[in-house]
Amino acid sequence: MAGNYSKLYLHFVFAVKGRQSLIPKERKEELHKYISGLVSYRKAKLLAVHCMPDHLHLFVGYQPSVLISDFVKEIKLATHAYILTNRIVRGSFAWQSGYGVFSYSHSQIDRVINYVKNQEIHHRKRTFREEYLELLEQFAIEYDSRYIFSPID
């Protein structure tokens, strides 16, 4: 068979350092547009993005020509610079080190898009920590709960 054919659907989750609620609701659409450009530049297809005040969900159609760790690092570095340069938050801002990434099948795309886009409704029922631990458990990812989140300063 000639050629390489692949499409991965990846859901990334990462938090603001210290889980501080820093991303203002009124600026999240601006940040979503910027992230859309970052994703496109990295040859991925944005399927859904949602910035909560203390964390971010990003769902993409991913071509495996870039290491996942490099993709996340580039998104976090670029958004960090954008947030500071455009004064989206008052004072300092940083993403917490680390991230979660979860893969889905093509048949699950609509469900995951709906999940990402409805984060505000979703978080009326449970916290980000509860949500993240549930994802880790659903995907049978071994973890040490002491290292899931940095303590809130």
Side-chain angles (χ1 to χ4, degrees):
M1 175 195 296
N4 298 318
Y5 304 101
S6 63
K7 178 66 82 169
L8 305 174
Y9 300 98
L10 300 178
H11 174 200
F12 296 92
V13 182
F14 46 92
V16 173
K17 187 173 184 179
R19 296 190 330 266
Q20 297 178 78
S21 292
L22 297 178
I23 300 171
K25 188 175 185 175
E26 61 273 7
R27 302 285 304 269
K28 74 179 185 176
E29 289 304 321
E30 173 186 350
L31 197 51
H32 291 173
K33 288 178 186 175
Y34 181 71
I35 291 168
S36 176
L38 294 173
V39 167
S40 179
Y41 180 76
R42 284 155 185 82
K43 308 296 185 226
K45 180 181 180 184
L46 181 69
L47 299 171
V49 62
H50 197 107
C51 294
M52 292 297 291
D54 64 344
H55 70 283
L56 181 141
H57 288 264
L58 178 62
F59 186 44
V60 300
Y62 191 80
Q63 296 293 340
S65 59
V66 176
L67 290 174
I68 291 171
S69 57
D70 289 345
F71 180 82
V72 175
K73 180 181 176 182
E74 292 170 5
I75 298 293
K76 287 171 90 172
L77 285 172
T79 53
H80 172 261
Y82 184 84
I83 287 168
L84 292 177
T85 301
N86 293 280
R87 297 184 178 143
I88 290 178
V89 303
R90 295 176 194 229
S92 65
F93 175 86
W95 293 112
Q96 186 166 309
S97 63
Y99 59 91
V101 60
F102 310 95
S103 63
Y104 291 90
S105 69
H106 185 80
S107 64
Q108 296 171 303
I109 291 172
D110 290 339
R111 184 178 66 78
V112 179
I113 288 171
N114 187 49
Y115 173 78
V116 170
K117 288 185 174 183
N118 289 298
Q119 282 297 296
E120 290 171 13
I121 294 168
H122 182 70
H123 283 295
R124 290 181 197 155
K125 297 175 187 169
R126 62 180 171 201
T127 67
F128 172 49
R129 181 180 175 83
E130 291 168 335
E131 168 192 48
Y132 193 68
L133 292 174
E134 183 178 308
L135 283 168
L136 293 174
E137 290 169 10
Q138 283 176 354
F139 282 83
I141 297 172
E142 292 184 28
Y143 63 92
D144 184 332
S145 62
R146 294 176 298 172
Y147 304 109
I148 295 298
F149 298 105
S150 297
I152 298 174
D153 298 332

